[in-house]
Amino acid sequence: MNATPAPARVTVNGRSYAWPRGPVVVVCVDGCEPDYLTQAIAAGRTPFLASLRDRGTCLTADSVVPSFTNPNNLSIVTGVPPAVHGICGNYFWDRDAGAEVMMNDPKYLRAPTLLAALADAGAKVAVVTAKDKLRALLGHRLSGICFSSEKAAEATKATHGIDDVLALVGLPVPSVYSAALSEFVFAAGVKLLERERPDVTYLSTTDYVQHKAAPGIAAANDFCAMMDGYLARLDALGATVVVTADHGMNAKTDAFGRPNVLYLQDLLDHAYGAGTTRVILPITDPYVVHHGALGSFATVYVSSPVTAADAGARIAALPGIEEVLAREDACARFELPPDRVGDLVVVAERLSVLGTSRERHDLSGLDVPLRSHGGISEQQVPLIANRRANTLPPGRRWRNFDAFDLALNHLS
Ligand SMILES: [Zn+2]
């Protein structure tokens, strides 16, 4: 029993948060382009979300670019951009190690999470994520509950703060490629709120459905309807609920549904010779079946005699390119850590994605036209609450990583 009274506020990474006055649930809906909700509401599939028009708050916020899962989830739980917390992709070129490595180890995290700070100050905190790849980062130094749908059966009191998750949730362990993986997250959130009554809960889903189905398509509306039911239950249990997304999602195809891919490594090798440049795609991770590791963001390392200026000009002239920025300009604009970004940052347009070499991308798993993210065109996401906001600063540029600020500091 913690006898210490709760503090009035907690300050983390230079931002101050009011102590939760009741249970707070922040939901990161992976790949939730705002239009998914618009279409589902218009189709009458999401009565709870529709009801928030009168009694809640609806903002449009900017995610972090690269508009990928890990940089944005870590921004949401730290309240700061990757320049501060360090996680700017799933994958990067570790210059110290001289190797391309996954960035999902907490050793790469440079800032504490708000979740851990709240727990240290006496709050009961619970985190549920769809894919296990995020669990170690989200749960870094967290004294509380933290598990994934993917490995729910393996959760133990000692390492995850909870055991027997399957009995609690009442659903089987879902396939990692399924809508059920996200449904498990919502169902667990509801059951945890009923049984454990956490002060703060963070739920993070997976974008399996969004990679396959455009807004308004049956599978997308079914997903939103499923989510709506669980959000309504969280609301009925008295929680303050804030829903945002890590990034949007767009078709990356031509009118025939064929992927618009610029294979940057092939193009640069052709221009300069193999081994003179290195194209890194931070979307790369162990789960690439639904997007073939193709996204709209890449970073490029060049070595002498190739110059960043020459390679940048060459890339900028290609069709489908939205921006080519030198490292310092990209890091200033997108708030990224310079030591984990190449000499150039390349962002593709809405309908295009960037690849390395053609033979390094297995597109055989794409059974529907490619939809992906990573660019500026997937930066805008919903930021929605089930309470009215009474003190919103006029003209503020909201970010998805203001979700906890909105939940704790601005809602009535
Ligand atoms: Zn995502």
Side-chain angles (χ1 to χ4, degrees), residues 30-31 68-69 207 246-247 373:
D30 200 325
F68 292 135
T69 301
D207 55 9
D246 53 350
H247 51 79
H373 52 94

Side-chain angles (χ1 to χ4, degrees), residues 195-272:
R195 190 181 83 178
E196 307 285 332
R197 202 75 180 166
D199 300 298
V200 174
T201 302
Y202 182 65
L203 305 177
S204 182
T205 69
T206 177
D207 55 9
Y208 171 82
V209 170
Q210 290 77 6
H211 270 289
K212 287 186 176 297
I217 297 294
N221 281 354
D222 290 348
F223 181 93
C224 293
M226 174 276 290
M227 173 168 76
D228 195 71
Y230 289 105
L231 295 176
R233 289 170 68 186
L234 294 170
D235 177 73
L237 288 165
T240 294
V241 181
V242 169
V243 177
T244 190
D246 53 350
H247 51 79
M249 187 73 72
N250 277 303
K252 300 291 179 182
T253 47
D254 66 13
F256 287 170
R258 298 174 300 196
N260 288 320
V261 189
L262 284 128
Y263 290 104
L264 275 185
Q265 190 68 69
D266 287 343
L267 290 158
L268 292 169
D269 286 354
H270 182 74
Y272 300 116

Side-chain angles (χ1 to χ4, degrees), residues 54-345:
D54 296 322
R55 48 178 282 249
T57 300
C58 185
L59 302 163
T60 300
D62 284 337
S63 79
V64 164
V65 173
S67 47
F68 292 135
T69 301
N70 289 17
N72 278 285
N73 269 274
L74 272 297
S75 291
I76 293 168
V77 300
T78 59
V80 287
V84 181
H85 65 66
I87 305 298
C88 55
N90 299 332
Y91 190 77
F92 82 119
W93 169 246
D94 186 337
R95 272 190 273 206
D96 298 335
E100 298 180 18
V101 294
M102 297 297 300
M103 215 190 297
N104 53 10
D105 190 303
K107 73 181 180 188
Y108 296 115
L109 189 58
R110 292 170 169 165
T113 71
L114 171 60
L115 303 170
L118 284 164
D120 288 346
K124 192 174 210 179
V125 176
V127 177
V128 187
T129 170
K131 290 181 184 172
D132 204 61
K133 71 174 180 181
L134 258 175
R135 186 183 54 83
L137 286 169
L138 295 177
H140 187 50
R141 299 204 171 131
L142 170 65
S143 310
I145 294 168
C146 182
F147 62 91
S148 69
S149 307
E150 182 184 352
K151 300 208 170 155
E154 296 167 29
T156 64
K157 191 93 183 161
T159 55
H160 303 77
I162 189 169
D163 49 21
D164 220 358
V165 168
L166 297 185
L168 169 74
V169 179
L171 294 172
V173 176
S175 158
V176 74
Y177 295 112
S178 71
L181 197 71
S182 293
E183 174 159 12
F184 193 98
V185 172
F186 287 115
V190 168
K191 293 291 186 181
L192 285 170
L193 191 57
E194 283 174 352
R195 190 181 83 178
E196 307 285 332
R197 202 75 180 166
D199 300 298
V200 174
T201 302
Y202 182 65
L203 305 177
S204 182
T205 69
T206 177
D207 55 9
Y208 171 82
V209 170
Q210 290 77 6
H211 270 289
K212 287 186 176 297
I217 297 294
N221 281 354
D222 290 348
F223 181 93
C224 293
M226 174 276 290
M227 173 168 76
D228 195 71
Y230 289 105
L231 295 176
R233 289 170 68 186
L234 294 170
D235 177 73
L237 288 165
T240 294
V241 181
V242 169
V243 177
T244 190
D246 53 350
H247 51 79
M249 187 73 72
N250 277 303
K252 300 291 179 182
T253 47
D254 66 13
F256 287 170
R258 298 174 300 196
N260 288 320
V261 189
L262 284 128
Y263 290 104
L264 275 185
Q265 190 68 69
D266 287 343
L267 290 158
L268 292 169
D269 286 354
H270 182 74
Y272 300 116
T276 56
T277 63
R278 180 186 294 273
V279 175
I280 297 287
L281 305 176
I283 194 173
T284 308
D285 79 3
Y287 318 79
V288 298
V289 171
H290 50 314
H291 53 63
L294 294 168
S296 296
F297 184 99
T299 183
V300 182
Y301 292 83
V302 304
S303 54
S304 179
V306 182
T307 66
D310 191 75
R314 200 175 279 272
I315 295 167
L318 297 168
I321 297 295
E322 180 162 344
E323 290 276 2
V324 181
L325 298 168
R327 176 190 292 116
E328 51 273 31
D329 296 336
C331 290
R333 174 161 170 193
F334 301 133
E335 301 169 280
L336 302 175
D339 59 324
R340 293 178 180 174
V341 171
D343 299 294
L344 295 169
V345 160

